[in-house]
Amino acid sequence: MTVLGYLANGLVFSSIIVLGSIGLSLVYSIADFANFAHGDTMTIGAYSALVTFGAVGGLGGAVLGLPYGFFLALIVGIAVAAVVAVGTEKLIYEPLDIDSIGLLITSIGIAFIYRAVIQIRFGADFTRFGVEPLRPIEWLIPYGIRVTRHDVAIVASAAVLVVGLHVLLQYTDLGRKMRAMADNPDLARVSGIRTKRVKLWTWVIGAGLAGAGGVFLGLFNQLSPRMGFNLLLVIFAAVILGGIGSVYGAMAGGFLIGMINQLTPLLSRLGEVLPLVPDGFGIPIGIEYANAIAFVIMVAVLLVRPNGIAGEGAT
Amino acid sequence: MSFLTDPRGTLGDLTRPEAWVLGVSVAFLLLLFVALLAGALGPTYFLFLVGLAGMYALLSFGLNSQWGFTGLINFSVAAFFGVGAYGAALMTADSSPIAGGFNPLVGLIVGLSVAFVLAVLIGIPTLRLRADYLAIASLGLAEVVRLVVLNERWLTNGSAGLRGIPSFFAGWPVLSTFPQAMPGLRLEVVPGSPIFLEAPFWRASLNVLLVLGFAGATYFVLRRAHRSPWGRVLRTIRSDEDLARALGKNTYSFKMQSFVLGSLIMALAGVFYTHLNLYVGPGDLDPITTFYVWVAVILGGSGSNRGALFGGIVIVTIREGTRFLNDFAVPIDPAPLRLLLIGILIVVVMRYRPQGILPPQRELIWPSAVDGSGTPDRPASGVRERKRSDDLENRSENAENRSDDRDGNGPNGGDDDE
């Protein structure tokens, strides 16, 4: 594969990471704790979509190789993830009287409960959506890019969701309230913002985006009960790289981490790829360490620039 | 010891949760004992379970000296456990790709040394971080360790794991042949279901002795350390790191010491696990191991070593009990059931008893100061002395307030340094 091919793959994977990291960052800044159940919220979205798609089928036509029924399933996946997250907030997190560390530990318990329920219902094995796998797009193959129309659909849908979120945050009342609350919850409260309601909306948006990310992850790879938890640390890396609490930072961080993750194979043959570097030079790191690289970057960012590349207050 | 001289008084002194835990434990032990006598529970397997419980207690002690004493959120328990286990296994196992065949004592030393180096390496970058960042970073670095163990086949045998590990006492003068030398016994308590006590049983009882030795030594070291001036500094860091710094303590250095101490204890548990299970694989480094230990500690009560012991037993009950449930009552795969129980346990504890079932009591005063009459002897007269004894009472109240405060405020006290 050529560099362009890896970049294209990186773009697809980045879209998924971005969807996950926005939600995590929103919840981190507004509910004020590191939500370890975020990855499993993605899994919930993916499996809800799997069930829905199995029930409704294709529904006639198709866009970008994906039947209409899949888009319905995507919406159901988003909705179920959001409903589950709001229910968890109402039933579990809200009545708790503990600090953010206690909430963090609780969210690990929640993550296990989500995953266990899915595993009891669907088993631990890998599954796939019942969508026909596609061949890579013909006219891109000469450039060394092997992406399917499904991948294009993933990137396009993610772009639509991200732009929608941008509009919501910048131009609507709710968005302004959310930004105010992320900035200073007490001040937001005394200025008459109903912070509890805003918090619920944050969960809806964050978990909804996570659900969408989960569905796309299932389409990009496979579905398994561990898919979300396995991705969780990569998403944390993205959020920390972008700066916790900054939605745009999370987008940038997600993009970078997703790219780095997919570009790992290039590290071992840097010489061929980069100019000025002698041929045959490379960092001998295999693809199996792609996630490890993300974690090391995360720790390095925490040390050098704890506020992330975007800095704080850029919500 | 006071239990022997005055059983009724000691029982009366117990707090409600203490009495409750004691009752449940005694009932549970009786149940196990009946099952043993009836032959429903093999004695060798029972001893294996005891060994496992001791191992979890040891892991919980380790985490306790990090989270309970100093308030460090370490999510890399599995990494230290795994490093200890792999260190011992690589030195002793037949199938070891690097050395193998050494005396288990060499394995013990190597396991602990590698864990020491790893603890310093992980500690240097992460211990300066805010509490929640430390959690994420340590979990990430533990995953890096797991990936290395899984993928570096030349070093660790990869996903196949290591087999052919000798018992810990292999090569010792008497103990190495003790299981074979002991006569096979046959007990028949309930007619028709005899119990055999043969070489595996004696091997298992040696293991239990070993873990009792490890855990007992650790317990006394930790108890002493906790009450020493060193332990006091750690508790100060836990409740308010800025205060400790203002008092002239190098908090980073103290955090590192506590982190390394805890990690060594975890590695010790790993070494024991190697010789108990006689097989180690990359699955043992799975994050779930970390969270088992976390559940044990927060269930027992953060900072409380008795609680850690209790938590360890609960974890083994969940881990092994789910297998029986699967066989008899609930036809659910044990792995997700275990996950579900652990998750529910975390949520329930955090909801109803965030300080744990057996939270540490009077952790800021020496027990000798309150033993006997409950309060120190008060001199017959003199304002000054009177004032001092009031002081002591205040301090014991403070001790309780402190622990409440910690639940409300977070170990690093840290909203200020965001």
Side-chain angles (χ1 to χ4, degrees):
Chain A
M1 251 195 332
T2 62
V3 180
L4 271 180
Y6 284 116
L7 285 175
N9 275 355
L11 186 65
V12 181
F13 192 62
S14 293
S15 320
I16 297 166
I17 302 287
V18 165
L19 288 178
S21 56
I22 292 173
L24 190 61
S25 182
L26 270 180
V27 171
Y28 211 143
S29 61
I30 291 179
D32 196 27
F33 70 97
N35 180 18
F36 274 71
H38 196 73
D40 294 276
T41 312
M42 295 176 79
T43 319
I44 289 181
Y47 274 88
S48 316
L50 180 75
V51 172
T52 315
F53 188 55
V56 301
L59 296 181
V63 187
L64 286 169
L66 290 172
Y68 292 151
F70 186 83
F71 289 97
L72 180 67
L74 172 65
I75 291 168
V76 172
I78 293 175
V80 171
V83 167
V84 168
V86 168
T88 311
E89 157 74 8
K90 277 273 166 209
L91 282 176
I92 312 280
Y93 296 133
E94 208 179 270
L96 283 180
D97 182 25
I98 42 178
D99 59 333
S100 65
I101 297 303
L103 285 171
L104 186 160
I105 295 172
T106 314
S107 74
I108 293 171
I110 300 287
F112 285 174
I113 294 176
Y114 287 172
R115 199 207 310 173
V117 169
I118 289 174
Q119 203 172 329
I120 287 172
R121 171 71 185 74
F122 297 95
D125 294 334
F126 289 94
T127 39
R128 281 182 174 283
F129 287 114
V131 185
E132 289 261 314
L134 294 179
R135 294 182 51 74
I137 300 171
E138 289 290 339
W139 60 270
L140 283 174
I141 292 178
Y143 300 98
I145 302 175
R146 302 179 66 85
V147 292
T148 63
R149 279 185 290 154
H150 290 166
D151 298 335
V152 177
I154 291 174
V155 176
S157 317
V160 168
L161 288 171
V162 167
V163 170
L165 180 77
H166 168 73
V167 171
L168 179 100
L169 280 179
Q170 295 300 332
Y171 303 108
T172 67
D173 224 28
L174 177 66
R176 255 172 244 128
K177 286 177 187 164
M178 283 171 69
R179 283 185 290 144
M181 222 184 126
D183 216 32
N184 186 335
D186 296 330
L187 198 56
R189 189 128 187 249
V190 290
S191 22
I193 295 174
R194 292 186 181 146
T195 47
K196 262 192 186 166
R197 201 176 288 175
V198 176
K199 211 189 222 178
L200 279 188
W201 275 110
T202 307
W203 279 105
V204 169
I205 295 168
L209 290 175
V215 176
F216 293 140
L217 183 66
L219 186 65
F220 184 65
N221 285 330
Q222 287 163 318
L223 293 98
S224 80
R226 278 197 69 138
M227 60 191 273
F229 194 78
N230 287 342
L231 202 66
L232 177 70
L233 275 171
V234 180
I235 294 176
F236 263 120
V239 169
I240 286 170
L241 181 61
I244 284 173
S246 148
V247 169
Y248 298 103
M251 292 178 193
F255 182 76
L256 279 174
I257 290 287
M259 277 293 178
I260 292 169
N261 192 294
Q262 296 292 311
L263 291 180
T264 311
L266 286 180
L267 280 179
S268 52
R269 44 192 191 95
L270 275 181
E272 300 167 38
V273 177
L274 295 178
L276 298 178
V277 180
D279 258 10
F281 175 83
I283 306 168
I285 292 181
I287 181 82
E288 64 270 20
Y289 288 112
N291 287 350
I293 294 175
F295 305 153
V296 172
I297 291 177
M298 170 174 84
V299 175
V301 171
L302 281 176
L303 272 181
V304 182
R305 212 181 146 79
N307 288 338
I309 46 177
E312 220 142 52
T315 311
Chain B
M1 300 316 109
S2 57
F3 183 76
L4 296 178
T5 49
D6 179 18
R8 184 161 299 185
T10 316
L11 282 182
D13 274 351
L14 292 181
T15 59
R16 213 148 146 230
E18 277 175 337
W20 191 80
V21 167
L22 190 69
V24 170
S25 312
V26 169
F28 188 60
L29 275 181
L30 280 179
L31 180 78
L32 286 182
F33 194 62
V34 170
L36 264 180
L37 289 183
L41 184 67
T44 312
Y45 180 59
F46 172 71
L47 289 183
F48 175 78
L49 292 188
V50 173
L52 214 53
M55 183 202 88
Y56 275 108
L58 208 50
L59 281 172
S60 312
F61 288 158
L63 182 59
N64 219 352
S65 63
Q66 298 173 340
W67 159 250
F69 292 4
T70 326
L72 303 172
I73 303 202
N74 177 12
F75 278 171
S76 49
V77 178
F80 293 109
F81 170 72
V83 161
Y86 261 93
L90 284 173
M91 283 298 120
T92 57
D94 300 336
S95 64
S96 164
I98 47 169
F102 284 106
N103 189 299
L105 279 181
V106 179
L108 175 72
I109 293 165
V110 168
L112 293 187
S113 322
V114 177
F116 178 83
V117 173
L118 184 71
V120 174
L121 283 182
I122 290 190
I124 288 173
T126 56
L127 289 181
R128 292 184 199 277
L129 300 176
R130 221 175 68 184
D132 47 351
Y133 290 177
L134 173 60
I136 300 166
S138 58
L139 188 57
L141 290 175
E143 276 295 285
V144 174
V145 172
R146 189 178 72 86
L147 286 174
V148 169
V149 167
L150 184 63
N151 291 311
E152 296 303 318
R153 221 158 274 142
W154 59 273
L155 179 67
T156 63
N157 227 4
S159 55
L162 291 165
R163 291 175 194 284
I165 300 166
S167 123
F168 186 75
F169 296 102
W172 290 44
V174 183
L175 292 173
S176 62
T177 51
F178 171 78
Q180 282 76 28
M182 283 301 284
L185 293 180
R186 184 175 184 279
L187 299 178
E188 190 162 334
V189 182
V190 179
S193 54
I195 306 167
F196 296 101
L197 305 181
E198 285 161 347
F201 172 80
W202 299 113
R203 202 170 298 134
S205 32
L206 275 185
N207 273 332
V208 168
L209 281 183
L210 179 67
V211 79
L212 284 182
F214 280 172
T218 311
Y219 181 84
F220 284 108
V221 167
L222 284 186
R223 204 169 72 145
R224 189 65 187 78
H226 192 210
R227 286 173 181 162
S228 68
W230 183 77
R232 255 189 329 258
V233 176
L234 295 189
R235 271 173 276 137
T236 314
I237 293 175
R238 184 188 70 193
S239 38
D240 191 341
E241 191 177 344
D242 291 335
L243 174 65
R245 217 177 282 148
L247 291 171
K249 305 295 178 193
N250 180 352
T251 56
Y252 178 66
S253 153
F254 275 98
K255 278 156 85 174
M256 179 65 94
Q257 289 161 17
S258 138
F259 189 73
V260 169
L261 174 69
S263 308
L264 286 181
I265 297 172
M266 291 167 193
L268 187 64
V271 173
F272 171 72
Y273 177 75
T274 295
H275 295 291
L276 175 76
N277 202 31
L278 304 184
Y279 166 75
V280 286
D284 295 323
L285 277 81
D286 198 272
I288 187 80
T289 310
T290 298
F291 296 116
Y292 276 144
V293 182
W294 267 90
V295 170
V297 169
I298 60 174
L299 177 71
S302 307
S304 145
N305 284 328
R306 299 178 304 166
L309 203 59
F310 173 67
I313 294 170
V314 172
I315 289 303
V316 172
T317 313
I318 290 182
R319 230 189 89 152
E320 300 294 316
T322 42
R323 291 186 198 193
F324 289 104
L325 270 184
N326 184 37
D327 289 346
F328 295 117
V330 198
I332 299 179
D333 194 27
L337 187 62
R338 222 173 277 162
L339 207 59
L340 186 68
L341 287 177
I342 294 284
I344 291 175
L345 204 57
I346 294 179
V347 172
V348 168
V349 170
M350 295 315 277
R351 172 85 178 83
Y352 295 104
R353 214 173 155 81
Q355 75 274 37
I357 290 178
L358 295 173
Q361 292 174 327
R362 306 167 180 160
E363 61 171 344
L364 294 184
I365 33 179
W366 277 89
S368 58
V370 285
D371 270 357
S373 61
T375 47
D377 291 334
R378 180 181 295 176
S381 65
V383 180
R384 193 181 168 80
E385 281 78 5
R386 198 185 168 81
K387 201 171 169 217
R388 270 177 65 187
S389 83
D390 282 352
D391 237 347
L392 258 175
E393 276 169 11
N394 282 342
R395 270 174 69 183
S396 80
E397 270 172 27
N398 272 344
E400 278 156 25
N401 289 343
R402 263 274 167 71
S403 68
D404 288 346
D405 200 47
R406 199 174 63 74
D407 294 325
N409 239 340
N412 277 354
D415 294 337
D416 308 302
D417 51 0
E418 275 180 11

